Amino acid sequence: MEIDLHNKIDAHRRLCIKKDLIELSQWIDSLSIVNAEIDCLKQIEKQLIRDFNIDKTLQGLRRKNTLLMGLLCKYEQELNAEYSYGKKEYNVIRAKEHEKKRDTYAAFILEFTQLKKGIYFKLSKYQRR
């Protein structure tokens, strides 16, 4: 009976970690897309807008994106190791750690979205000659 309970707990632990890994994979994919989008926005800034502040903000966001990507890739390695070899129970502390990573990711996406809105607003003011 005790072995059956241990197996259920381990199966639940693995399921929760797998769920976190799936979500984390989506975040990493999204950050890769953001990186490509930053390339496009830098071209738009260089060719049309020519605003020093936007250029520096894009550069800062690229750095943040790179740092966040590194943080999430390291977290992914930790989760994969825990999934395969770990024995720690998936508890509230681990769930809160994942929530902190989600909040960091969401804050970055919000900051990037606000910058895009600002760029699109500046572009909307341009008129064809």
Side-chain angles (χ1 to χ4, degrees):
M1 188 71 164
E2 187 176 315
I3 292 174
D4 190 38
L5 179 62
H6 177 69
N7 287 341
K8 285 183 179 180
I9 290 172
D10 189 56
H12 181 263
R13 177 188 72 82
R14 286 175 170 264
L15 177 66
C16 290
I17 292 172
K18 190 66 171 175
K19 175 203 65 81
D20 289 351
L21 279 167
I22 290 168
E23 185 176 31
L24 181 57
S25 176
Q26 292 170 345
W27 298 344
I28 290 171
D29 290 346
S30 177
L31 290 178
S32 294
I33 292 167
V34 165
N35 198 44
E37 209 170 339
I38 288 173
D39 287 339
C40 295
L41 292 173
K42 283 193 75 73
Q43 278 299 115
I44 290 170
E45 188 282 323
K46 187 192 306 183
Q47 292 176 357
L48 297 173
I49 300 173
R50 297 184 188 129
D51 184 328
F52 180 77
N53 291 329
I54 289 177
D55 182 50
K56 290 302 168 199
T57 304
L58 282 167
Q59 187 176 358
L61 275 177
R62 179 175 310 259
R63 287 181 181 140
K64 283 183 182 182
N65 189 24
T66 302
L67 290 172
L68 183 56
M69 181 76 83
L71 175 82
L72 293 180
C73 286
K74 183 178 178 191
Y75 180 52
E76 182 180 37
Q77 289 176 338
E78 293 169 8
L79 284 179
N80 279 323
E82 182 63 30
Y83 181 81
S84 298
Y85 310 111
K87 300 293 181 201
K88 287 193 312 186
E89 177 185 4
Y90 193 94
N91 55 21
V92 173
I93 294 169
R94 293 195 56 166
K96 284 185 178 182
E97 178 185 326
H98 187 77
E99 287 295 320
K100 285 181 189 175
K101 302 275 195 284
R102 180 185 293 130
D103 291 343
T104 302
Y105 165 77
F108 174 79
I109 294 297
L110 180 63
E111 184 178 356
F112 180 65
T113 302
Q114 289 172 339
L115 175 65
K116 283 194 308 185
K117 284 180 184 177
I119 291 172
Y120 295 149
F121 180 75
K122 281 191 177 263
L123 284 173
S124 71
K125 289 186 172 187
Y126 282 99
Q127 293 182 2
R128 206 175 208 175
R129 293 178 192 191

